[in-house]
């Protein structure tokens, strides 16, 4: 396999700091045939979100708040075991972590501006509603004795 593709961008020019990533490898329960019991292909990637200096302060606070349920002592962890190769699982885990951090650090959406319904449209709706009720009223079987 080739070497790992370089820095994983979170957003803009901010990327995952290679030095702050903690890798752990273990035996995977996934595919692998006879080879599966001897190779540590499952990858667990941990990143200390609380202590990192790589993210801008605003992003860090936003991520800590949004990922609060996933953090253990300020550390976010991601697992990958879908590939047979440890290298591909490493790639998958790093991409997953970068995506997670990108979503967690994204700016909040702009608040929605309420818009008014034009008077003409409202009047037309009421007119059509009245017409429909007249049509249905005409269907009652009283007059047909």
């Amino acid at each position: 396999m080739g070497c790992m593709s370089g820095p994983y961008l979170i957003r803009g020019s901010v990327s995952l700091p290679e030095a702050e990533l903690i890798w752990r490898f273990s035996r995977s329960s996934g595919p692998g045939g006879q080879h599966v019991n001897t190779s540590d292909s499952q990858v667990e990637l941990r990143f200390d979100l609380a202590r990192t200096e790589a993210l801008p302060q605003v992003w860090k606070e936003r991520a800590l708040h949004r990922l609060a349920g996933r953090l253990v002592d300020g550390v976010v962890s991601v697992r990958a075991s879908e590939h047979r190769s440890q290298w591909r699982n490493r790639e998958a885990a790093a991409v997953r972590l970068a995506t997670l951090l990108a979503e967690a650090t994204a700016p909040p959406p702009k608040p929605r501006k309420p818009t008014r319904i034009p008077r003409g449209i409202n009047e037309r709706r009421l007119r059509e509603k009245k017409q429909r009720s007249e049509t249905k009223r005409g269907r009652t079987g009283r007059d047909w004795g």
Side-chain angles (χ1 to χ4, degrees):
M1 289 274 152
C3 93
M4 285 186 74
S5 56
Y8 293 94
L9 285 180
I10 295 173
R11 202 169 53 253
S13 61
V14 181
S15 61
L16 281 177
E18 201 63 52
E20 293 184 30
L21 299 179
I22 306 146
W23 298 92
R24 238 179 64 204
F25 307 102
S26 55
R27 299 214 172 131
S28 174
S29 60
Q34 294 171 333
H35 185 57
V36 78
N37 297 328
T38 58
S39 64
D40 291 345
S41 60
Q42 176 172 288
V43 173
E44 186 182 356
L45 175 58
R46 301 167 62 122
F47 178 63
D48 196 339
L49 189 57
R51 292 188 191 80
T52 187
E53 297 299 318
L55 298 177
Q57 193 58 35
V58 184
W59 286 21
K60 196 162 120 175
E61 284 166 11
R62 209 179 281 158
L64 284 168
H65 178 70
R66 287 187 186 164
L67 297 174
R70 279 193 69 149
L71 299 176
V72 180
D73 298 330
V75 177
V76 64
S77 69
V78 174
R79 267 206 183 112
S81 62
E82 59 270 17
H83 301 292
R84 289 183 182 199
S85 136
Q86 187 190 95
W87 278 104
R88 285 174 67 191
N89 281 333
R90 282 182 74 145
E91 289 280 312
V95 168
R96 211 171 282 166
L97 182 63
T99 308
L100 184 72
L101 288 175
E103 286 171 8
T105 58
K110 286 191 171 72
R112 179 186 171 278
K113 261 198 207 143
T115 54
R116 283 193 49 198
I117 299 170
R119 204 171 81 219
I121 288 178
N122 214 10
E123 285 173 356
R124 188 178 74 199
R125 181 182 66 85
L126 293 173
R127 208 171 36 246
E128 286 171 359
K129 200 171 164 178
K130 202 169 275 175
Q131 209 171 356
R132 186 94 183 121
S133 85
E134 287 299 319
T135 307
K136 288 191 171 190
R137 196 121 132 264
R139 290 183 189 155
T140 54
R142 283 189 310 231
D143 319 335
W144 299 358

